Amino acid sequence: MPFPKLGFAKRLLFFYGFVFIAVLLLTDWSLSRVLEKRELEQLQDSLTRQSILIREVASPLLERTLDLQNEIKKLAEGTGLRITVVNAEGTPLADSSETHETLANMDNHAMRPEIAAALKEQTGMSIRYSTTVKTRMLYVAVPIFQGEKILGVVRAAMPIARVDRILASARKPVMVTALLGILMVLAAGILFAGRLTARIRRITSVAERYAQEDWSEKILIDGRDELKMLADTMNKMASSLKTRIDDLENEKGKVATILTHMNEGVIAIGPRKQFVMANPTAERFFGFETKTVGGKGLIEVTRHPQLERIVDRAFEARKNLSEEIQIPGNIKKTFRVNVLMLPPQIREIGCILVFHDMTEIRRLENIRKEFVANVSHELRTPLTSIRGFIETLLGGALKEPATSEHFLRIMEEETKRLGRLVEDILTLGEIEQRATLLRKEKIDLALELSTVLERFKPRIQEKRIAVENRILGKSFVVSGDRDKVQQVLVNLIDNAIKFNKEEGKIVLSADQRAEGLAITVEDTGIGIPQGSIERIFERFFRVDKARSKELGGTGLGLAIVKHIMEAHGGHAVCSSTLGKGSRFTVFFPG
Ligand SMILES: Nc1ncnc2c1ncn2[C@@H]1O[C@H](COP(=O)(O)OP(=O)(O)OP(=O)(O)O)[C@@H](O)[C@H]1O
Ligand SMILES: [Mg+2]
């Protein structure tokens, strides 16, 4: 905001200047009055006295007008006085400004106010313009007595101009002093006003910054007056405001930080179900951006009718609600939504929706359920078969030694299978719960691989599989649990043989990659269909249940591989082409 041209200090200055001049003029006027009155009185007094003196000279000469004229002229000479003598009828007998000859031209003076008064035995006085001497004059007239009788009048006159001159000379120093005073006061005023204006502007400009929330500057002005107090108070106010604002910002920042880093999605909606705010987690859950949805309805923002209905119910009942919803998408997600109704006093926000992502929990729950179902199923099958054979044997088959032996062999197989299954389940459970700490030591993977291969030699030969061991003779030392690592290699090679073709091939290799040391087991077997690859490491997952079972598998081998690798801080991956073969790689971290 620009400062006004005519600031208040200037206005004040103008006002006082005006008042000063008015007072000065008034003083001058009344002073002149007083002085003029006094001067005139003095002049009148002196004229009266002089008239009385002249009367003494004039009264014996009234009959001799020529002498009188001469005497009057003499008396007036050099005094500036005009002296006139008239007889009782008002006819001029002598006049200092005329000659004896011109005297006759003068008109009768009986009607002149001062003379008229003198003829009535008083001292006459009059101020008027004299046509004879062409100036304003003060006339004083005294009667000339002879006993009681008035013989004539002596009149003395003096131009008033003299009074004016006296007045002017008396006024001059007063006026000069007054003017000087005014000038000094004005100069002081200008200085003061300038300083005042500068200080006020300083306060104003800093205050303007405060208005824009810029607290960097303090109002620094000097002095010990009210302005200084104002500045100090404003400084105090600014610093307490700044503290308050900082505190608020801080609080806001804390709340924002908490909201931003929450795993839960939070959406606040207004009393008319309009969107108010959301944290980034909620934005991610529903795939919207807060800045584009402000003020829109909840349904427009989330596009989730079920959620809308839950919120409606909460609003109707004015009660908190908690329900599970699903959000469709690439991966269907499950959320528990808690609708928290706020008291109606809070005008801006009607309720808060808090979303917990339940997807992982639900998935794990499903896996667990499936696992239990699978385990019981896997256990029941061999048990049913064993019981069947026992019943058959007890039912008479025992008497036939050949049949009995055959049945007992199958039962032995089934029992082994049961044993293996229980073993696998226990291993898996152990690793999963991290119950067994890994007994880590330095192991050479090349060496371990050779040991494991040795164990499979009979089966490899039986299926006439060619093994290409590219690790042979090399050394790849990692830190790991020997038994567990051997288990990984056993499971992978077992699969590579089991799912291989007759006269197939197995390639074993190792190489150092960014993710760690990679051990790869590659086969030329039946391969895995694309859709099953991602599930291959799940417990009990088998591509072809019947076939795997025939081959004595329970579908736990790869799950064990995965968990052991993860326990080592590594991981396992699989790639495969159906009908051509599969490749399994395990990574030991660097
Ligand atoms: N090398 C492979 N070639 C083709 N399919 C494979 C291969 N390895 C595993 N699979 C498939 O993955 C499934 C799971 O393998 P996994 O090793 O976990 O179980 P399994 O071998 O059937 O039984 P287990 O290993 O418990 O005896 C197998 O049933 C099979 O369908
Ligand atoms: Mg297996």
Side-chain angles (χ1 to χ4, degrees), residues 420 424 427-428 431 449 452 455-456 459 483-499 521 523 537 554-564 584 586:
R420 273 207 310 275
D424 280 355
T427 315
L428 204 54
I431 303 165
L449 204 59
V452 173
R455 271 197 244 162
F456 284 106
R459 276 179 61 200
D483 287 348
K484 298 281 187 297
V485 171
Q486 275 195 8
Q487 174 90 62
V488 167
L489 300 174
V490 165
N491 289 5
L492 291 180
I493 293 170
D494 176 57
N495 286 349
I497 297 167
K498 200 157 63 175
F499 302 106
V521 180
D523 64 59
F537 292 101
T554 52
L556 287 174
L558 285 179
I560 291 172
V561 168
K562 179 186 160 198
H563 280 103
I564 291 179
F584 286 85
V586 289

Side-chain angles (χ1 to χ4, degrees), residues 7 12 14 18-19 28-29 71 82 96 128 165 169 173 195 314 330 382 394 407 428 453 487 495 531 540 555 573:
L12 208 65
F14 278 135
F18 182 74
V19 169
D28 178 47
W29 182 78
E71 205 56 40
R82 180 187 169 199
S96 59
R128 40 176 219 283
R165 264 205 313 283
S169 66
R195 217 174 90 85
N330 287 350
L394 289 176
F407 282 5
L428 204 54
L453 267 180
Q487 174 90 62
N495 286 349
F540 296 110
V573 295

